[in-house]
Amino acid sequence: MKETLVRGVFSNVASSYDLMNDAMSLGIHRLWKDHLLRSMAPAPGTRLLDVAGGTGDIAQRFLTYQDNQGDSSSSVHMVDINPEMLGEGEKRFSGSQWQRDQRIGFTVGNAESLEFIESESFDFYTIAFGIRNCTHPDRVVAEAYRVLKPGGRFMCLEFSRVDNPVLAAAYDLHSFYVIPKLGELIAGDRASYEYLVESIRKFPAQKEFAQMIRDAGFTTIGKGYENLTFGTVAIHSGYKF
């Protein structure tokens, strides 16, 4: 079962996950995530639900962004199916002013069934590099629609498809040979990173996933996504109107 496999993979890599992200992307994942926050441009008092929140880097960026805007009332709730990954996120915020002010919360849970989240209770829903690991992405998007307030926005940052054949060949070389080797050297776990590469290839292409978002009830602007780094990743966005 995919859910059990994914839980095992991320339990294995949790402690080295951030380091591996830097190694695999040459640090570019930080720029992608920063761009996600700038694209979000949240208003003061925003409530963010960050699903597959893992080690908490999106949540930290969000709270830092809001603090820099002079907003001390926004909050984020992180959800992840893997306790070890969420534990790394809790370590990141341990002893922080955000934790003392109760602006950050954590729940172990499945993105496909957020029964512990009230309907229409969040302004933004983010999921970064997580939805491809879910068994039923359509159910994830449907739950996102349910928990967002009217006017709320779904934002997904995910690996995608490179259309240029020359760049695609280089990307495949990096993915299938370099990334597993890095996993072996840095995390001592080649197999988990081979799975992560395979999960990227099996995830729907940009247009197909954008249609899935619309099918869940969201309204998209234009084509519904923005390619970054030649389509290596894409930011998908939908509004609940």
Side-chain angles (χ1 to χ4, degrees), residues 36-48 58-76 98 103 123-124:
L36 176 71
L37 262 295
R38 289 193 297 270
S39 300
M40 183 189 298
T46 291
R47 295 192 71 208
L48 167 65
I58 296 295
Q60 185 180 48
R61 278 174 168 77
F62 168 76
L63 290 171
T64 300
Y65 182 96
Q66 295 302 80
D67 285 356
N68 289 341
Q69 309 305 311
D71 171 32
S72 59
S73 59
S74 292
S75 63
V76 55
W98 298 317
R103 295 175 61 196
D123 302 296
F124 280 88

Side-chain angles (χ1 to χ4, degrees), residues 9 22 34 55 57 61 79 85 97 127 130 138 140 144 149 164 177 197 206 210 218 224 229 231:
V9 166
D22 280 328
D34 288 343
T55 60
D57 50 351
R61 278 174 168 77
V79 174
M85 288 289 287
Q97 189 63 47
I127 182 165
D138 55 331
V140 175
K149 299 175 183 177
N164 182 291
Y177 295 97
V197 171
Q206 291 93 316
F218 286 105
T229 317

